[in-house]
Amino acid sequence: MKSLVRVASGQGFWGDWLEAPRRQVEGGDIDYLMLDYLAEVTMSILQKQKERDPKMGYARDFVGAIDSVLTALVERGVKVIANAGGVNPRACADAVLALADARGVRGRLALGVVTGDDLLPRLDELLAQGHSLANMDTGEPLSLVRDRVLSANAYIGSEPIVSALAQGAQVVITGRSTDTALTMAPLRHEFGWAADDWDKMAAGIIAGHIIECGAQASGGNCLKDWETIPDVWNIGYPIVDARADGTFEICKHPGTGGRIDVPTVTEQLVYEMGDPHAYITPDVVADFTSIRLEPAGENRVRVFGITGGPATDKLKVSIAYRAGYKAVGTLVYVWPDAMAKAQAADAVLRRRLEMLGLSFDAIVTEYVGVSATHGPLAGDHPDAPEVQLRVGVRGQDKAMVERFTRELIPMVLNGPPSVTGFAAGRPKVEEIVAYWPALIDKSVVTPQVEVVR
Amino acid sequence: MKVRLLDLAHARSGDKGDTANVGVIALRPEWYGLLARELTVERVSRHFDGMLTGGVQRFELPNLQALNFLLHGALDGGGTLSLKTDAQGKVYSTAMLRMMLDVVDDEARALALPAAP
């Protein structure tokens, strides 16, 4: 057994720096590269892509990422764990195999493919069996939006990834795994942690939470002393140096920018936190109030003391459904009286929408530069040099949302003066794909693992 | 003495559906007790008056010298539904840090709190 296992984060979301995976394998020795591609809405986007083309539905950036680190995988034995499979892990694996063919390394690359999280084909069967899939936030039954559901995926845990690694997989591709399992699974595999060793499971999950958003743990988006964080253009993504006893250190490669200290790691720990006593995952309920941090050298923080408790008998399900249409448009009003002009324009616009008989579920007006994000807390700014009027509408009737988008630019000629910033033209109408969180009994979800060469 | 929360803590915020979470972290360990005492659910609810359609929940993390607040109904539906600039609650963090605290002079001196400018 290794005494130290290094898991490096190379992608915090789909769209993150393309060169980050390569930098993580070239910057020093690592054992695993962890790539997180899936946000809540990503699954529904991928589902739409798969409907258009059955070979799609996964994070295509991943193939380029593998290409960029292929030598390290084949020559150095670095392993990759990624939830890049989206709603089509098998197609993702095929694309990686085709790449391996093209690069002449087919046969030297074992792929683990984790499936079973996709509940869409079984949705009606599950509902008929009495699984209500009620919305966790509102309590409403799924039947309310059943005919508009685009995707439904259970968040699955570390078990199938561990199994793929045990079968020799060098690249493990999952669908909707939890982000944190991507880091915890290799630790569990390497150290042989028992599935009910709750403190170790929790430690692995918390290590995953710290690095799952990439550089957000190593000085990116860090408020404390942000102006002194060095070489952000060259920011080093975080790495977990884990030990068998469940303690670990967060660090980054030498010669990279950014900062890893107790404050930067703490900011990431509280990111998207709910009840810190019960961070619920399929593997364990982790207790964030047990986490201890201490400095362990330059750009290195030691994490220890973590405890956890038994997992629940439920899995979270991420369901995406069509929820109408929206459009957001902006105009910029300028000094003098920029704010008063923007407010007058909003009043004119709303009167026009009323006159045209347009009705929406919501109309939201914001004044960017004055109060868009901090609302009344921002105070008055009567002499602002410029104010961006930002108006959004949301509704079920696409034609009405479309009509709204034609109302903004005429304001330049027909409304209050000193207005500009309309060069981008009419706002676009977007279909809203909303998120429906639910729970399901663990017993009805069976992840499958396949290792292909 | 008037003290700005901005001078006592740093913060990061994020989202879960229509809820924004704000983690508030003491800039010095010895300031955590003051934050835990002053940043009550009532005080934070009052601070965000008019900005939330739901309530406020509060959790203590003395191990990290941090408090976590859940601001329910902060995001116009959240995620893809929201029409707000800050649909994912990314900057509720600094909105929280706009809070002004009144601290008695003796305690402010003992804790070496920076006075609000």
Side-chain angles (χ1 to χ4, degrees), chain A residues 323-402:
Chain A
Y325 299 87
K326 67 177 178 180
V328 178
T330 62
L331 290 170
V332 175
Y333 288 86
V334 177
W335 184 94
D337 304 318
M339 182 61 173
K341 289 167 186 163
Q343 285 173 316
D346 181 56
V348 171
L349 181 65
R350 284 173 182 258
R351 187 70 191 269
R352 285 279 304 168
L353 299 180
E354 197 184 312
M355 195 194 83
L356 291 164
L358 305 181
S359 64
F360 300 103
D361 296 341
I363 306 177
V364 172
T365 300
E366 290 180 331
Y367 301 99
V368 179
V370 173
S371 57
T373 58
H374 285 187
L377 290 168
D380 295 328
H381 296 271
D383 201 31
E386 64 230 354
V387 174
Q388 185 186 56
L389 171 67
R390 185 178 184 279
V391 183
V393 302
R394 176 170 76 227
Q396 301 305 314
D397 185 332
K398 188 177 184 183
M400 287 196 186
V401 178
E402 190 78 51

Side-chain angles (χ1 to χ4, degrees), chain A residues 221-290:
Chain A
N221 190 29
C222 183
L223 182 60
K224 181 172 186 280
D225 301 329
W226 66 269
E227 67 278 30
T228 70
I229 293 173
D231 298 330
V232 171
W233 59 273
N234 186 37
I235 200 161
Y237 280 44
I239 300 168
V240 172
D241 279 4
R243 296 185 189 282
D245 64 0
T247 66
F248 58 91
E249 291 172 3
I250 301 293
C251 60
K252 61 187 183 71
H253 285 315
T256 59
R259 175 179 293 155
I260 292 179
D261 61 7
V262 170
T264 58
V265 172
T266 306
E267 280 199 27
Q268 178 54 23
L269 277 172
V270 298
Y271 179 65
E272 290 184 346
M273 181 187 280
D275 175 354
H277 300 282
Y279 183 88
I280 300 171
T281 76
D283 293 294
V284 61
V285 177
D287 183 356
F288 276 54
T289 68
S290 66

Side-chain angles (χ1 to χ4, degrees), chain B residues 63-117:
Chain B
N63 54 319
L64 302 176
Q65 289 99 46
L67 298 164
N68 186 39
F69 294 92
L70 299 184
L71 313 178
H72 296 293
L75 302 174
D76 181 40
T80 51
L81 277 171
S82 178
L83 298 170
K84 291 169 79 87
T85 298
D86 191 22
Q88 288 167 306
K90 297 276 186 188
V91 294
Y92 266 91
S93 50
T94 58
M96 175 76 88
L97 297 181
R98 286 179 177 274
M99 192 184 290
M100 298 290 290
L101 301 178
D102 261 316
V103 184
V104 292
D105 290 355
D106 284 352
E107 186 182 19
R109 260 194 305 275
L111 289 172
L113 302 184

